[in-house]
Amino acid sequence: GAGPCGTAVMFAEAVGEKGQVVSVDLPPEIGGTPLEYEKMAKAKAENWQMVRGDSGANTTLDAVKKALAGRPVGLLFIDGEHTKAAASRDLGVYRGLVERENGLIAFHDINLEELWPWWCSLKGKRHPVRSLEFVNDKTRIGFGIGVLVGRDDGY
């Protein structure tokens, strides 16, 4: 999800004009980012593109691949429905686009009750230096970012 597009604009600024940022979000009429936010973000970040659709649909994956124009993904940021099923689905759909050795796969809001055990399982399958965790306060529900370094097709 792109929400009000602040994260997408931040990523677009971080990668610079030679980089490319692609966000996936639902159409606005079914709860996706409103068009006015998309328009404001596009004015700030010309290297950002919104793909509208269900993140789990093959047509959406095809649109993302087209937007990437053959570029490998350096950072896959999964921030969708905040459920284990949705995060796992998005990981399965998009991980093949990530650079195998040094690409990053990040998950938003890992400290949610449903996501925390799943995140711990994912990071537990890797060498400790191949995952990062940013959680300021584990007693707060929500928040936190978990990052896997490199694409491991054995999840």
Side-chain angles (χ1 to χ4, degrees):
C5 305
T7 304
V9 170
M10 178 193 69
F11 287 148
E13 289 173 352
V15 300
E17 59 187 51
K18 291 184 180 182
Q20 177 70 38
V21 174
V22 179
S23 297
V24 174
D25 204 353
L26 293 169
E29 58 273 10
I30 58 172
T33 299
L35 293 176
E36 59 268 20
Y37 287 137
E38 183 179 355
K39 185 177 177 182
M40 288 187 300
K42 191 65 177 163
K44 293 179 181 179
E46 294 179 14
N47 59 338
W48 171 68
Q49 183 174 340
M50 173 79 79
V51 171
R52 297 288 186 161
D54 178 347
S55 61
N58 288 336
T59 54
T60 305
L61 174 60
D62 291 343
V64 168
K65 287 178 179 179
K66 183 177 179 182
L68 291 170
R71 290 180 168 164
V73 172
L75 169 63
L76 173 63
F77 189 74
I78 297 177
D79 179 16
E81 301 164 32
H82 300 104
T83 65
K84 175 185 172 185
S88 181
R89 177 202 64 212
D90 288 349
L91 175 61
V93 170
Y94 296 98
R95 74 175 172 220
L97 303 176
V98 177
E99 294 176 6
R100 183 172 293 278
E101 290 299 315
N102 296 313
L104 303 174
I105 302 172
F107 302 91
H108 190 247
D109 289 337
I110 59 169
N111 201 26
L112 289 170
E113 189 173 335
E114 185 174 345
L115 291 177
W116 183 252
W118 180 73
W119 162 249
C120 290
S121 174
L122 280 178
K123 73 176 184 171
K125 294 176 184 175
R126 310 177 130 247
H127 190 283
V129 300
R130 303 292 288 173
S131 67
L132 304 163
E133 188 175 287
F134 303 94
V135 178
N136 187 36
D137 181 354
K138 289 185 181 177
T139 64
R140 293 181 67 193
I141 302 300
F143 308 103
I145 294 177
V147 181
L148 302 175
V149 179
R151 185 181 88 216
D152 179 354
D153 291 330
Y155 296 117

